[in-house]
Amino acid sequence: MKFGRLPLDEAEGTILVHSTKAGGRRLKKGSVLSADDVAALRSAGVAEVTAARLEAGDIGEDAAARRVAEAAAGPGLAPGTAFTGRCNLFAEARGLVVFERERLDRCNLVDEAVTIATLAPYDLVEPRDLVATVKIIPLAVAEDTVTACAAIAAGPEPLLRIARLEPKSAGLIQTRLPGTKERVLDKTLETMRTRLAALGGTLAREVRCDHDADAVAAAIGEARAAGVDLVLVLGASATVDRRDVVPAAIDAAGGTVEHFGMPVDPGNLTLIARAGRVPILGLPGSARSPRIHGVDWVLRRICAGIPVGGRDLMLMGAGGLLKEIPQRPLPRAKASPPAQARPAPARPRIAALVLAAGRSRRMGKANKLLSEIGGEPMVARVVRAAVDSRAGPVVVVTGHEADKVRAALARHDVAFADNPDYAQGLSTSLAAGLAALAADIDGAVVCLGDMPRIDAGLIDRLIAAFAPGEGRTICVPTHAGKRGNPVLWARRYFAEIEAIAGDVGARHLIGEHEDAVCEVAVEDDAALTDIDTPAELATVRKSCAEP
């Protein structure tokens, strides 16, 4: 890749390195300069630009990021749309993040141009959570470098996968000593039931017996006979030796103690054993607390079908001081109710609003939104694009001929927001749609019901570009230097949009927040094409009918 200052005569087709203004046009970093862009720069008195030009054997940043991400993505993971050299991997199911640290390091050691960042191994994630990100540092990278990274990430098995949680049933055995209080055992029962439920499991049975090896061995036998997937033993007195009551009971019940002790606090005195195919966990008294515990790390793996042996426990020391992480912020001497655990970073929740309340006055008597294009109503084409995209939920704002619009969308999984004030203009539909969104929505793609050439791919590109942490909170498609629709707005702008009055949209707010705008260049003019007249409708019908 060539990089440096170029005279305008050599700039067409190069990649702009720094955002710049050309008269009334703002050219964003990463834009491929067209002939019109160069002309605009020349008219603005710009003589040269800092730009990059790909050479033979180079791959652009987005294509490179996507290729490495696709190679690394195993079961339960889906790559997002690549944008600005970044391609994220998102969880498709609830489960644990699984990968080989050594292979991840090998990928990151290939070249400084390619980086892969992940959550910690065995982190618990939910669907839609961000699990990993591939970032290409320069604007382009040598194909050989991408090939080497992709080969490491791809195989023989993909670098990353999600081990899905499986429903597990457990039996709990609690022992008593003279003076043991039943209410303590009752609270422990509820804590363990909650702990398992959080992993999709169930506490199928509980037995309370004397703190005696024979009694515990009999209880283990009963639990195994009942067909549970896992046995938990919590003694009234802590296990301090492999010859103590709980390990002795496991031996007597025909089991084998595989490992005693782990470098995780709380949880040091955890014991792992097995009787046939049934894992047995000997739990320390600290497991009675609902706070995060070493046993949670073990239970996660068991519930995800990941074998856990002595070596696995011995390698849990890095990060194993759980007292000092956000879930346990204070030393034991100053313990207080724990802070809420910080959730894994999640994919932003982006809703789609389809504005379909207008009266189509320039079309005559017909409601243009119900006009057929390619065999379906115009508004249905726009809604289908939104439904097929990564946006969700999809909310359709109705007003004029609301019943007919709803009927035209009957087969689509959408919600409706009625705008009784639709005659007062576009701003009222924006307000009605935003008011219908849940509080946990991070942003909304506002789609116009009369733009039938918009597709799911464009909406997904806007969502991929959305990155509040990097200052990209308004995402706008552009074609030939012109901004179009739909526009993705972060929640922070909802109040400003709802305050707009009259038959206008939110276009002026883009100019007021120019520093937050991310332009997404598109190849065709779909983002600029809306239907207002019969002639425009005829033109679009013809283009949609052609092969």
Side-chain angles (χ1 to χ4, degrees):
M1 179 180 70
K2 292 183 177 180
F3 182 100
R5 298 289 293 177
L6 290 176
L8 286 187
D9 290 343
E10 301 176 19
E12 184 177 346
T14 62
I15 304 169
L16 188 64
V17 173
H18 305 297
S19 297
T20 187
K21 288 186 177 180
R25 178 184 297 184
R26 181 177 176 83
L27 302 177
K28 291 281 191 177
K29 169 187 174 182
S31 302
V32 177
L33 294 175
S34 66
D36 289 343
D37 296 332
V38 172
L41 288 166
R42 186 174 285 113
S43 297
V46 178
E48 60 180 15
V49 292
T50 302
R53 186 186 298 278
L54 271 60
E55 298 179 286
D58 285 343
I59 300 179
E61 56 178 349
D62 289 347
R66 177 76 185 188
R67 184 168 160 187
V68 175
E70 288 178 340
L77 285 168
T81 303
F83 190 79
T84 61
R86 183 184 303 281
C87 190
N88 295 325
L89 295 176
F90 297 99
E92 294 184 309
R94 189 164 191 258
L96 303 191
V97 180
V98 180
F99 63 91
E100 300 171 39
R101 169 66 186 269
E102 180 272 337
R103 191 143 59 104
L104 174 67
D105 291 342
R106 283 172 54 206
C107 286
N108 283 320
L109 287 169
V110 169
D111 192 282
E112 64 181 24
V114 182
T115 66
I116 307 177
T118 75
L119 296 181
Y122 307 109
D123 266 3
L124 178 63
V125 294
E126 304 290 337
R128 298 169 57 94
D129 278 357
L130 175 61
V131 173
T133 184
V134 177
K135 173 62 178 171
I136 305 301
I137 303 302
L139 295 172
V141 62
E143 183 173 8
D144 290 347
T145 297
V146 177
T147 299
C149 289
I152 296 170
E157 298 293 335
L159 173 63
L160 291 140
R161 69 182 177 92
I162 299 299
R164 297 172 183 253
L165 294 178
E166 305 166 356
K168 299 287 186 181
S169 63
L172 173 64
I173 299 167
Q174 297 195 76
T175 70
R176 300 187 188 92
L177 286 170
T180 298
K181 297 179 179 179
E182 290 299 314
R183 67 172 181 271
V184 173
L185 303 185
D186 293 340
K187 288 183 178 179
T188 302
L189 173 63
E190 291 308 310
T191 296
M192 298 311 299
R193 181 176 283 123
T194 301
R195 199 164 244 141
L196 288 163
L199 299 173
T202 57
L203 188 59
R205 60 183 286 120
E206 184 218 12
V207 174
R208 298 179 185 182
C209 63
D210 292 338
H211 191 69
D212 173 81
D214 291 338
V216 175
I220 292 173
E222 292 174 12
R224 291 182 61 196
V228 297
D229 300 312
L230 167 69
V231 176
L232 307 173
V233 183
L234 211 162
S237 179
T239 299
V240 296
D241 190 272
R242 277 177 168 265
R243 294 159 294 187
D244 211 337
V245 170
V246 172
I250 292 170
D251 289 339
T256 302
V257 175
E258 296 182 350
H259 195 81
F260 174 44
M262 63 189 301
V264 181
D265 186 14
N268 291 140
L269 301 183
T270 299
L271 175 151
I272 187 166
R274 189 170 297 276
R277 296 177 126 187
V278 178
I280 303 173
L281 296 182
L283 308 182
S286 56
R288 299 184 189 278
S289 168
R291 295 184 176 186
I292 188 71
H293 191 279
V295 72
D296 292 303
W297 287 13
V298 179
L299 285 174
R300 287 177 183 180
R301 298 198 196 188
I302 291 174
C303 290
I306 300 172
V308 186
R311 176 177 171 79
D312 300 303
L313 266 62
M314 296 170 80
L315 293 177
M316 290 183 181
L321 185 56
L322 299 183
K323 288 187 178 68
E324 304 304 328
I325 65 175
Q327 292 95 326
R328 291 182 66 92
L330 299 177
R332 183 176 298 170
K334 299 180 180 179
S336 61
Q340 290 295 316
R342 182 173 62 188
R347 179 189 309 190
R349 290 202 64 199
I350 305 298
L353 295 184
V354 179
L355 306 186
R359 291 183 289 182
S360 312
R361 285 175 290 187
R362 281 183 282 180
M363 287 289 290
K365 294 182 179 180
N367 185 343
K368 64 180 178 182
L369 299 182
L370 302 176
S371 300
E372 286 203 357
I373 298 176
E376 62 182 330
M378 182 191 304
V379 68
R381 294 176 66 92
V382 179
V383 167
R384 175 162 51 83
V387 170
D388 290 346
S389 76
R390 293 185 180 275
V394 177
V395 177
V396 180
V397 182
T398 58
H400 177 59
E401 295 187 339
D403 291 342
K404 292 182 180 179
V405 172
R406 287 174 180 254
L409 302 175
R411 69 185 184 89
H412 294 288
D413 183 16
V414 299
F416 292 95
D418 186 52
N419 174 21
D421 302 319
Y422 67 90
Q424 298 178 26
L426 181 61
S427 64
T428 61
S429 291
L430 278 169
L434 294 176
L437 300 180
D440 62 347
I441 294 296
D442 299 299
V445 180
V446 179
C447 305
L448 306 182
D450 62 354
M451 298 187 70
R453 293 177 54 207
I454 296 298
D455 62 17
L458 172 55
I459 297 173
D460 285 344
R461 290 192 65 194
L462 295 174
I463 294 173
F466 182 74
E470 299 176 24
R472 302 196 299 268
T473 52
I474 302 173
C475 301
V476 186
T478 64
H479 175 71
K482 296 181 180 179
R483 289 173 173 173
N485 284 294
V487 177
L488 194 166
W489 299 87
R491 170 172 282 279
R492 70 179 69 173
Y493 305 109
F494 286 6
E496 288 183 74
I497 296 173
E498 290 173 335
I500 297 170
D503 192 19
V504 294
R507 178 69 57 179
H508 66 283
L509 292 181
I510 296 177
E512 293 177 15
H513 300 283
E514 188 66 43
D515 290 344
V517 175
C518 173
E519 293 183 341
V520 179
V522 295
E523 294 181 359
D524 60 36
D525 62 352
L528 307 179
T529 305
D530 60 346
I531 308 301
D532 288 323
T533 67
E536 291 170 345
L537 176 61
T539 299
V540 170
R541 277 176 169 167
K542 181 180 179 181
S543 67
C544 290
E546 292 173 351

